[in-house]
Amino acid sequence: MRLRADLLPHGAYSDVVLVVDVLRATTTAVTYLERGAEALLLTATPEVALAQRGEGIVLAGERGGWPIPGFDLGNSPAEAATQTFAGQSVVMNTTNGTAAAHIAAASGKHVLLAALTNAHAAARRARALATEEIAIVCAGTDGRVGLEDVYAAGVLAEYLLAMGDFTTDDGARIALTVRRSSGNPAEVLAGSGHGVYLGGIGLEEDVRYAAQVSVSTVVPVLDPAGEVGDVLRFVAG
Amino acid sequence: MRLRADLLPHGAYSDVVLVVDVLRATTTAVTYLERGAEALLLTATPEVALAQRGEGIVLAGERGGWPIPGFDLGNSPAEAATQTFAGQSVVMNTTNGTAAAHIAAASGKHVLLAALTNAHAAARRARALATEEIAIVCAGTDGRVGLEDVYAAGVLAEYLLAMGDFTTDDGARIALTVRRSSGNPAEVLAGSGHGVYLGGIGLEEDVRYAAQVSVSTVVPVLDPAGEVGDVLRFVAG
């Protein structure tokens, strides 16, 4: 079995893909499903998100960390954790995470969303589904590698290596090195470039929330019955 | 002063850029200049390279590690080290390194080529030129992060931090972590994905050659008098 980590989204995935955007899209996605949402609809653009408006639909997303005008929610896991979404579908559009999910879905057989909060469950689910390769795809920030995503990729890789034999690529080895050489996750996330940015606009609570490791067993899974188009439908797996 | 490392080429460079493609383009580039070449002409495509043919011109390059048909040389630093290029200009076109140099030159004020072989000299030159930022740009392999380039970025970053104060971005911190957690450079390069590939096609001598640290004081510098077009002209700085 191959374990691959792309420190930025690349494409050409043959089997299972774990999409990681710790600050904050995949962390928030896990939280929406934990808080009762029936499905997550990840859209390619804000315009596609707005076109989903309707009964039982909540629009959520950000640009540059700020909520998108006309949307109901931003992209805050701490805020999502205080609400319930029973009977609702959450439409998500974010700067990096939803784009990474679309790149993953273009080729991957099974696409899961992973964060630190659901890391162990996501690794276990990936291992159960995979027949040849698990690819961890770090969303990054605006086309540049994010320390928080590489750290989370290392946490996922460490769980996976404990579950069986893998050959590892350069990206997986870099992620494991970062994971093993770093301090606690709260410090890593708060010190990352995007963590510092979010702290600066008053969102340090989200950074702290995202640093919790394996506190959730919810894994958002791309609905195999859904089409892969402008909208990706994820359900709790 | 800012120290930035892009683990893949990104663009939008404001000041000094160190382009790194350890296996093998920037290592080979240093060797050509050491062995007497007057200039290096890095072209955007093999076709542009072929169009440079003429008196005193040597064509060098590779695709997938193999020499390009119609070219005089491949991309082998070990081979280049046994020849002399006095009075000649070497036209280079390679899979990743020359493309990274073109991305760097599109915005950077000063563009230098760095390898392990000239790491200390390249760091010193970068520090002398920079007024606000030094960006280390890893070429990677076919759009994916390469361990050997990240390791070399860590070596460069370590030299730079010893020369003065810098703020570091996520990429620089990842590179420093990889550098500080890894074994000796020959092992790192031979164990990297591209190192294994090159070894498999009989080019392990190039991998060994490229693992020598700071054995050269030659730094290829983008000629400030040259135009930035399909051909970038580098001279020994």
Side-chain angles (χ1 to χ4, degrees):
Chain A
M1 184 82 70
R2 298 189 302 273
L3 173 58
R4 159 181 174 187
D6 286 357
L7 308 194
L8 286 172
H10 179 271
Y13 303 109
S14 61
D15 192 5
V16 175
V17 190
L18 288 162
V19 177
V20 175
D21 185 8
V22 172
L23 292 176
R24 299 169 287 165
T26 55
T27 303
T28 312
V30 170
T31 311
Y32 288 138
L33 292 181
E34 278 219 309
R35 302 299 299 166
E38 282 184 356
L40 306 171
L41 304 173
L42 273 58
T43 69
T45 65
E47 292 69 33
V48 173
L50 284 165
Q52 306 300 311
R53 266 222 183 283
E55 186 82 19
I57 292 285
V58 177
L59 297 191
E62 56 75 31
R63 278 297 175 282
W66 302 101
I68 299 175
F71 278 40
D72 306 305
L73 291 171
N75 182 32
S76 167
E79 179 186 34
T82 65
Q83 308 193 7
T84 57
F85 298 91
Q88 297 186 298
S89 291
V90 181
V91 176
M92 294 182 69
N93 182 261
T94 66
T95 313
N96 306 292
T98 55
H102 279 264
I103 293 172
S107 56
K109 265 190 215 154
H110 306 278
V111 180
L112 318 180
L113 305 184
L116 284 174
T117 54
N118 75 341
H120 191 260
R124 213 168 39 193
R125 178 64 51 96
R127 185 67 190 80
L129 289 168
T131 58
E132 54 183 51
E133 178 181 277
I134 297 173
I136 304 169
V137 178
C138 300
T141 302
D142 302 328
R144 300 186 57 215
V145 172
L147 179 62
E148 72 281 11
D149 291 336
V150 176
Y151 178 86
V155 171
L156 289 163
E158 207 158 54
Y159 284 140
L160 287 164
L161 292 179
M163 293 173 193
D165 285 335
F166 288 89
T167 60
T168 52
D169 75 344
D170 286 8
R173 281 190 274 162
I174 291 168
L176 282 162
T177 299
V178 167
R179 153 66 169 157
R180 290 168 179 164
S181 309
S182 300
N184 74 62
E187 280 170 23
V188 173
L189 267 57
S192 69
H194 198 52
V196 169
Y197 174 78
L198 291 174
I201 60 172
L203 297 170
E204 52 278 282
E205 184 55 30
D206 280 348
V207 180
R208 276 193 294 272
Y209 186 98
Q212 305 170 89
V213 178
S214 300
V215 292
S216 172
T217 58
V218 169
V219 183
V221 178
L222 182 62
D223 183 356
E227 280 181 42
V228 173
D230 285 347
V231 181
L232 301 176
R233 180 184 156 89
F234 286 81
V235 295
Chain B
M1 184 84 68
R2 297 189 304 272
L3 174 57
R4 158 181 173 186
D6 287 358
L7 307 192
L8 286 172
H10 179 272
Y13 303 110
S14 62
D15 193 6
V16 175
V17 191
L18 288 162
V19 178
V20 175
D21 185 7
V22 171
L23 293 175
R24 298 170 286 161
T26 55
T27 304
T28 312
V30 169
T31 311
Y32 288 139
L33 292 182
E34 278 219 308
R35 302 299 299 166
E38 282 184 356
L40 307 171
L41 304 174
L42 274 57
T43 70
T45 65
E47 293 69 32
V48 173
L50 284 165
Q52 306 300 312
R53 264 218 183 289
E55 185 83 18
I57 292 285
V58 178
L59 297 190
E62 56 75 30
R63 279 296 176 280
W66 302 101
I68 300 175
F71 278 40
D72 306 304
L73 291 171
N75 182 32
S76 167
E79 180 186 32
T82 66
Q83 307 194 8
T84 56
F85 299 92
Q88 297 185 299
S89 290
V90 182
V91 175
M92 295 183 68
N93 183 261
T94 66
T95 313
N96 305 292
T98 54
H102 279 263
I103 293 172
S107 55
K109 265 190 219 158
H110 307 277
V111 179
L112 319 179
L113 305 184
L116 283 174
T117 54
N118 75 341
H120 192 261
R124 214 169 38 192
R125 178 63 52 96
R127 185 66 190 80
L129 288 168
T131 56
E132 54 182 52
E133 178 181 275
I134 297 174
I136 304 168
V137 178
C138 299
T141 303
D142 301 328
R144 299 185 58 216
V145 173
L147 179 61
E148 71 283 11
D149 292 336
V150 175
Y151 178 85
V155 171
L156 289 163
E158 207 158 54
Y159 284 138
L160 287 165
L161 292 180
M163 293 174 194
D165 285 335
F166 288 90
T167 59
T168 53
D169 75 344
D170 285 9
R173 281 191 274 163
I174 291 168
L176 282 162
T177 299
V178 167
R179 153 65 171 159
R180 290 169 180 165
S181 310
S182 301
N184 74 61
E187 282 170 21
V188 173
L189 265 57
S192 69
H194 198 54
V196 169
Y197 174 79
L198 291 174
I201 61 173
L203 296 171
E204 52 279 278
E205 184 54 30
D206 279 348
V207 180
R208 276 193 295 272
Y209 187 98
Q212 304 171 88
V213 178
S214 301
V215 292
S216 173
T217 57
V218 169
V219 183
V221 177
L222 182 61
D223 183 354
E227 277 181 45
V228 173
D230 285 348
V231 181
L232 301 176
R233 181 184 157 89
F234 285 81
V235 294

